[in-house]
Amino acid sequence: MDYWDLYKDVWNFHKKYSKVQTDDAYWEAVVSESGQIARKYDNHKFAIALLLAVIDELERIYKEMMKNADTAV
């Protein structure tokens, strides 16, 4: 496995989805593209771990957005 290509692909994925959105289309795209990247690297455990780390961060941001929206007046 080429680690540098993997890092590049995960970085581009993170950059592409870093502006978290609340609509279903955004999350469907996140899931679809992360699956494509994982398959590109034969579902290697390290590739999946990197992708899950990014998705976890996107979810954290989403939850923070929702929390702030609930407290808005």
Side-chain angles (χ1 to χ4, degrees), residues 9 11-13 15-17 20 26 29-30 33 41 44 47 49-50 53 58 66 69 72-73:
D9 288 342
W11 163 248
N12 286 330
F13 169 77
K15 186 170 54 170
K16 181 176 181 178
Y17 294 103
V20 176
Y26 167 85
V30 166
E33 191 165 331
Y41 294 95
H44 192 280
L50 287 176
L58 299 176
M66 293 297 97
V73 176

Side-chain angles (χ1 to χ4, degrees), residues 2-69:
D2 186 330
Y3 286 102
W4 305 121
D5 282 345
L6 172 60
Y7 280 119
K8 181 185 71 165
D9 288 342
V10 173
W11 163 248
N12 286 330
F13 169 77
H14 191 174
K15 186 170 54 170
K16 181 176 181 178
Y17 294 103
S18 64
K19 292 185 180 184
V20 176
Q21 300 174 23
T22 59
D23 60 288
D24 290 342
Y26 167 85
W27 291 105
E28 289 169 8
V30 166
V31 170
S32 176
E33 191 165 331
S34 64
Q36 291 171 6
I37 295 169
R39 284 187 295 280
K40 179 178 178 179
Y41 294 95
D42 298 320
N43 293 310
H44 192 280
K45 190 174 182 177
F46 185 65
I48 291 171
L50 287 176
L51 289 163
L52 286 175
V54 171
I55 293 169
D56 284 347
E57 178 62 6
L58 299 176
E59 287 179 332
R60 184 196 67 74
I61 293 167
Y62 171 78
K63 289 176 183 176
E64 188 70 23
M65 288 170 55
M66 293 297 97
K67 178 181 163 190
N68 290 337

